[in-house]
Amino acid sequence: MAVPTYKTEQLKCWNKAKELRMDFYKNYANAHDKGGLRWAGGAWSFGAIPAGLGNDIFPITGEPYAAGIAFNKEFSLRCLEASEKKGYARDLCSYMRTYWGSIILDEYLYGGKFPKPDFMWQDHICCSHAKWYQVANELEGGGIPTHIIDVAVGPYRDVTEGRIDYILSQMHEGIEWLEKVTGREYNDDLLIEAVHNECRATSVWAEVCQLNKAVPAPLDEKSMYSLYVLGTLEKHSKSVADFYEELRDEVKYRVENQISATPHERCRLMSDTQPPWGFLNVFRYLEGFGAVSIGSLYTFGLIGVWEDKPDGSWGPRTTPKQKGIKIETRDQALRILADWNLSKPEWQHFYSPHIKSDMMIRIAKEWKLDGILLHYNRGCEGLSLGIAENRLALIDAGYPVMTFEGNMGDEREFDEAKTMGRIDSFMETLGMKEIK
Amino acid sequence: MISQFRDWEENRHVYAKNWKEKTGGKVIGYFCTYVPEEILYAAGILPVRILGSHEPQDVTEPHIFGMFCPFCRDCLAQGLKGRYDYLDGVMISQSCLHIRQAYTSWVKHVPQSFSYYLPMPNNVQSKHAVPYLAAELKTFKSAVEKWIGKEITNDDLKRGIDIMNENRSLMHSLYSFKKNDSPPVSGEDTMQVAMSQQMVDKREHSPQLKKLVEELEAGAFSTVNKGTRLMILGSEDDDIPFVRMVESVGGSVVIDDHCVGTRYFWNNVNVNGGDLMESIAKRYIERPACPSKDWVERSRIPHLLNLAKEFRVKGAIVIQQKFCDPHELDIPAIIKTFNANDIKTLFLEFDVTVPLGQFKIRVEAFLEMLQEDDLF
C-alpha cells in the first residue's frame, strides 16, 4: 500500500488551551483571596447552576483533576496508596481514589495544600458519583454542605416531562440550598448566561469532532484530550465556549487546507473510554503505522451534545439561541439545561450498551473507520459498562476490534509492553506495516 | 417444616414451571429487590428473583467485562444456559450498574415477550423521589396492563399489597425468634425461608411460613443453636453452604442486612386511604437502602447498628461480592462505626464459589477472638 504524505502543523490555539486549563486550577485554589467561593463536584455536574451565585465562584471537577494526577506517576501512586491505607478497595474508580488520596495527603497537584471546597455540587448517574463526594466530605472532616442531583431517569429516547420534572425539582431545590449555604442572593441572569454558554460550548465541541470526518483527519485523539478537557472543567463558562469557537474555526481551516493530524494517515481508528493517562504514547505508536485515532464516543460525547441532522448524519445539537429561543425565567433555563444534558451521548449507555453500540457503529461509518480499539478500563465502572457487548456488536457490524485491558488512573494495572504487542498484531491483521 | 422451604429453593425452576402449568399465568424474572412485586401480584403474574447457581462458568465472558461482580455474571449465566426458559418476561428496577448489565445482556440474548427497565430513583433521600416513583409506577402498571391485555384495578392493587405485606410481616415474626438467647431456628434455615420467599408464589409461601411461626410460638422446635451471635451484612448473599459452615464451627447468624434477607422484606406498604401507587412508592423509597442509593446521609449505619444491638450480636461478618463498588464505598465507614461500638468485624470477599476451607479457618479465628472477650 502506498504511503500518503500530508502536511502537518501544530494547532495555533494549543497554548491557549493549556493556559485556560491552568487558570482553572489556579482560580479554584485562589478563590478565597478574591473573596470568592470554591465548589467541588463532577465533570458532569450542572455547573451552570452555581454560576448564578456570582462571577467569583470557582469549581474543581474531580475526574479531570485526577486524570492530571495520573500523568504524574509518582504523585499518582502516593494518592492511590493513601486511599488504600484508609481501607478503600483497589478496584474502585481510580479517579475517585486518586482524588481522595490528594485530600488525605493534603497535597494539591498544582502546589500547596489541597484547597477545601466551600460546598459540594454533584450529580449522580454512576454508582460512584454521589458516594465519591460522601466519602470526600468525610475525609475532609465532614460538615461540607453537599447537594447531589439524581439524573438517572432513563435514556433520552424515552424521556418524558415527568422525568425532566424530577430533575428540575432537584435543581430548584438546589438553588434554594445554594442561597442558604452561601448566604448569597441568586442571580437568574447569570444562570441564563451560563446555560447559553454551556449549550454553545458543548454544541461547538461536537462540531469540532464532526470536522474530524475529513480525510485526512485534522485532529488526532491524543491532541483532542487536551482540548475536550476544557469542557470537563467549566463547560458553562464563556471562556470555554469562546475557545471552542476559535478552535472550530482553526480546525475548519485545517480541513480546507488538508492539514493533517498525522503525516501519513492511511488507517482510521477510534478508541473507547478514558485512555491510560500515563501512557498516551500508545497513540504516538499507532502513528508509526500510519494509523490515526480520530477520537471516540468518549471524546465526542462526554461533553459534546449531538443530534440527527436532516441528511441523516450525526452533528452538533442546535442550541436554543440558534433556534431563536429567548430564555427568560429560571424555570425555563433549568428545563433547557436538564433536557440538553439528558441528550448527552455518554449518558445513554448507562441504561443499555446496545444504544452505545448503535452510536459507535454510526461513528465507524460516518468517520470512515478501519478498526476500533476498546480499552477495557478497570478504572471506570461507568464507562466500561457494557463494553463487552459493544465489542460483539462492532464485530457483528463488520469492524475489526482490538481490546486491551488497563486503567485510566492506576498505572499498576496497565501493561505497556503487552499493549504495544497487541497493537502490532492488530496492525498486521489490518494489513499495516510500520512506516520506516 | 423447613424442608418445604428447602425444597422450593432447591427446585425453584420445577416449582415455577409447575405453577405456570397449574395456573396458566405468566412468570416474570426480576433482577433487583427494588422491583414493585405488589403490581405484579395485582396483575396475577408470578415474580421470581433471578439468582445465580454458584457454579464456575465461562458463558458470560463475551458479554460482561470481568471487573464486574460475580453475582451479575452468575445471574446472566442462568439465562444464557436456558435455566429460566419458562420466563415470559424480565425486568429490573434501577440500582447498581453491575446487575444492570445482566439485565441488558439478557434482554438481547435471551429474547422475551416483555422486558421493562424501571428507572427507580437513586436520590431516595429527596422529597421529590416519592412523587416521581409513583408516576413511574403508573407508567409501569400501564405497560403490564398492555402486556397481559387486562386492566389492573384498585382492588387488584390492594390484593397485591396485602399479599406482599402479609409475607413480609410473617418474615418479621420469624426473625423475632432470633432475638431469643437460644434462637430456635438457625441462620441457614432462615436463609432457606428468605430465599424461597423470592421465588415462590407468596400465597403458598405465607401459609407455610405462618405454620412455621405458630410452631415456633408453641415451642415445637428444640434450641438448635447456642453459638456466638453474629450478623452478616453486605452485598447480595444467597450462599447457603457458607452460612452452614459458619454455624458448624460455633457461630449463630441471628440477623443480616443484605438483599436476600432483611433488606428485601423489612418494611411494609402503609395504605392510609391515599393513592395506592404513592403508598407503594413510599415503601420502596423508605426501605433499608442499597448502598448505591444511600446518600447524601449514611442512613444505613444507624439502621445496621440498631439491628446489631436489637439482636445482641457479638460480631459481624462483612461480606462483599468481589468488585461490588457500592458496598466497597460503604464498608470502611461501617467497619469503623462497628469497631467504635465494640462490635468486631470479619471482612470476606465473595465470588461465585467461595473457598470454604480458607474461610472456615478465618471464621474460626474470628469466633475464637470473640469468645476471648467472654473469658477475659
Short mmCIF file of all heavy atoms in Angstrom, two decimals, chain B residues 178 182-187 189 216 221-227 247 251-252:
data_model
loop_
_atom_site.label_atom_id
_atom_site.label_comp_id
_atom_site.label_asym_id
_atom_site.label_seq_id
_atom_site.Cartn_x
_atom_site.Cartn_y
_atom_site.Cartn_z
N LYS B 178 -35.27 -14.95 66.55
CA LYS B 178 -33.80 -14.95 66.55
C LYS B 178 -33.23 -13.96 67.56
O LYS B 178 -32.03 -13.87 67.75
CB LYS B 178 -33.29 -14.67 65.14
CG LYS B 178 -33.71 -15.79 64.18
CD LYS B 178 -33.56 -15.46 62.74
CE LYS B 178 -32.13 -15.53 62.30
NZ LYS B 178 -31.56 -16.90 62.34
N SER B 182 -31.35 -18.35 72.89
CA SER B 182 -31.01 -19.52 72.07
C SER B 182 -32.03 -19.60 70.94
O SER B 182 -33.10 -20.17 71.10
CB SER B 182 -31.08 -20.79 72.90
OG SER B 182 -30.16 -20.72 73.96
N PRO B 183 -31.70 -19.02 69.82
CA PRO B 183 -32.67 -18.97 68.73
C PRO B 183 -33.11 -20.37 68.31
O PRO B 183 -32.27 -21.25 68.10
CB PRO B 183 -31.92 -18.28 67.59
CG PRO B 183 -30.80 -17.56 68.26
CD PRO B 183 -30.44 -18.37 69.46
N PRO B 184 -34.41 -20.58 68.18
CA PRO B 184 -34.89 -21.92 67.83
C PRO B 184 -34.79 -22.23 66.33
O PRO B 184 -35.19 -23.31 65.90
CB PRO B 184 -36.35 -21.88 68.28
CG PRO B 184 -36.74 -20.45 68.15
CD PRO B 184 -35.51 -19.64 68.43
N VAL B 185 -34.32 -21.28 65.58
CA VAL B 185 -34.17 -21.52 64.14
C VAL B 185 -32.80 -20.98 63.72
O VAL B 185 -32.38 -19.91 64.16
CB VAL B 185 -35.35 -20.90 63.35
CG1 VAL B 185 -35.45 -19.41 63.57
CG2 VAL B 185 -35.28 -21.21 61.88
N SER B 186 -32.10 -21.76 62.91
CA SER B 186 -30.72 -21.39 62.56
C SER B 186 -30.69 -20.33 61.46
O SER B 186 -31.67 -20.08 60.77
CB SER B 186 -29.97 -22.64 62.09
OG SER B 186 -30.49 -23.04 60.83
N GLY B 187 -29.50 -19.78 61.27
CA GLY B 187 -29.31 -18.82 60.19
C GLY B 187 -29.48 -19.47 58.84
O GLY B 187 -30.02 -18.87 57.90
N ASP B 189 -31.42 -22.09 58.14
CA ASP B 189 -32.85 -22.31 57.89
C ASP B 189 -33.56 -21.01 57.55
O ASP B 189 -34.43 -20.96 56.67
CB ASP B 189 -33.50 -22.96 59.12
CG ASP B 189 -33.07 -24.41 59.28
OD1 ASP B 189 -32.51 -24.96 58.32
OD2 ASP B 189 -33.27 -24.99 60.37
N LEU B 216 -43.16 -22.43 66.10
CA LEU B 216 -42.10 -21.82 66.92
C LEU B 216 -42.70 -21.20 68.18
O LEU B 216 -42.15 -21.33 69.27
CB LEU B 216 -41.35 -20.75 66.12
CG LEU B 216 -40.44 -21.28 65.00
CD1 LEU B 216 -39.98 -20.14 64.11
CD2 LEU B 216 -39.23 -22.01 65.56
N PHE B 221 -39.96 -26.44 68.40
CA PHE B 221 -38.57 -26.67 68.00
C PHE B 221 -37.66 -26.64 69.22
O PHE B 221 -37.78 -25.74 70.06
CB PHE B 221 -38.11 -25.58 67.02
CG PHE B 221 -38.59 -25.79 65.62
CD1 PHE B 221 -39.96 -25.79 65.35
CD2 PHE B 221 -37.71 -25.99 64.59
CE1 PHE B 221 -40.41 -25.99 64.06
CE2 PHE B 221 -38.16 -26.18 63.30
CZ PHE B 221 -39.52 -26.19 63.03
N SER B 222 -36.77 -27.58 69.29
CA SER B 222 -35.79 -27.51 70.38
C SER B 222 -34.75 -26.47 69.97
O SER B 222 -34.61 -26.14 68.80
CB SER B 222 -35.14 -28.87 70.58
OG SER B 222 -34.55 -29.27 69.37
N THR B 223 -34.03 -25.98 70.93
CA THR B 223 -33.00 -24.99 70.62
C THR B 223 -32.00 -25.60 69.65
O THR B 223 -31.49 -26.69 69.87
CB THR B 223 -32.28 -24.59 71.92
OG1 THR B 223 -33.26 -24.00 72.76
CG2 THR B 223 -31.16 -23.62 71.66
N VAL B 224 -31.74 -24.91 68.57
CA VAL B 224 -30.83 -25.50 67.59
C VAL B 224 -29.45 -24.87 67.61
O VAL B 224 -28.50 -25.44 67.12
CB VAL B 224 -31.40 -25.39 66.15
CG1 VAL B 224 -32.65 -26.24 66.01
CG2 VAL B 224 -31.66 -23.95 65.77
N ASN B 225 -29.32 -23.69 68.15
CA ASN B 225 -28.02 -23.06 68.05
C ASN B 225 -27.73 -22.15 69.24
O ASN B 225 -28.44 -21.19 69.47
CB ASN B 225 -27.95 -22.25 66.75
CG ASN B 225 -26.51 -22.07 66.31
OD1 ASN B 225 -25.63 -21.94 67.14
ND2 ASN B 225 -26.30 -22.10 65.01
N LYS B 226 -26.68 -22.49 69.95
CA LYS B 226 -26.27 -21.65 71.07
C LYS B 226 -24.94 -20.97 70.76
O LYS B 226 -24.20 -20.59 71.66
CB LYS B 226 -26.13 -22.49 72.34
CG LYS B 226 -27.46 -22.94 72.91
CD LYS B 226 -27.24 -23.64 74.23
CE LYS B 226 -28.58 -23.95 74.86
NZ LYS B 226 -28.44 -24.69 76.11
N GLY B 227 -24.63 -20.90 69.48
CA GLY B 227 -23.33 -20.35 69.07
C GLY B 227 -23.22 -18.86 69.31
O GLY B 227 -24.15 -18.19 69.79
N GLU B 247 -22.08 -21.74 60.94
CA GLU B 247 -22.83 -22.27 62.10
C GLU B 247 -22.27 -23.61 62.55
O GLU B 247 -22.46 -24.00 63.71
CB GLU B 247 -24.32 -22.33 61.76
CG GLU B 247 -24.86 -20.91 61.48
CD GLU B 247 -26.36 -20.78 61.49
OE1 GLU B 247 -27.03 -21.68 60.95
OE2 GLU B 247 -26.87 -19.77 62.03
N GLY B 251 -20.75 -20.49 65.19
CA GLY B 251 -21.42 -19.20 65.00
C GLY B 251 -22.93 -19.39 64.94
O GLY B 251 -23.42 -20.49 64.68
N SER B 252 -23.64 -18.34 65.22
CA SER B 252 -25.10 -18.38 65.06
C SER B 252 -25.51 -17.08 64.38
O SER B 252 -25.38 -16.00 64.97
CB SER B 252 -25.77 -18.50 66.43
OG SER B 252 -27.16 -18.37 66.29
#
